[in-house]
Amino acid sequence: MWLTDTQKIGVGLTAFGVLFMLIGVMLFFDGGLLAIGNILFIGGLFLVIGIQKTFFFFARKEKMRGTICFVGGVLLVFLRWPVIGMMVEAFGFVNLFGDFFPVIVGFLRKMPVIGTILNTPVISHTIDKIVGSKLPV
């Protein structure tokens, strides 16, 4: 499956958003970097899967708790409460995107260096226990 130009830009924005958030956390929860990271991440998500699909993803009844926590965390970061905002946002992120973690782990296990590390018995057992070994596909 090939990506359109808009989706490629969305992937880049999402990656930069995650990078800015990681740097913001490493710099002791710098509110400016976290806010920019949030804006880039959400904007990239809109471009990758489309506005309508993004709205339906966030508005599903079973994802409502995650949506409220994620948006609330973003608002707390914007209101200069970065530590509490990132904790609430992380809880919402896990509730929203937790279904994708087995797929991500399955993909990472097929990569050359990371896959070797993730397939060692102790690490593999621990990750399977945390994430779950069932793939949705």
Side-chain angles (χ1 to χ4, degrees), residues 7-56:
Q7 289 174 324
K8 290 176 186 176
I9 293 170
V11 169
L13 285 178
T14 304
F16 275 116
V18 170
L19 179 70
F20 272 78
M21 283 193 271
L22 287 174
I23 293 172
V25 168
M26 285 191 300
L27 292 176
F28 303 112
F29 293 97
D30 181 45
L33 287 173
L34 292 173
I36 291 170
N38 282 327
I39 291 169
L40 290 173
F41 179 79
I42 294 170
L45 192 64
F46 275 115
L47 290 176
V48 169
I49 63 176
I51 293 174
Q52 186 177 14
K53 288 182 183 177
T54 304
F55 176 74
F56 286 134

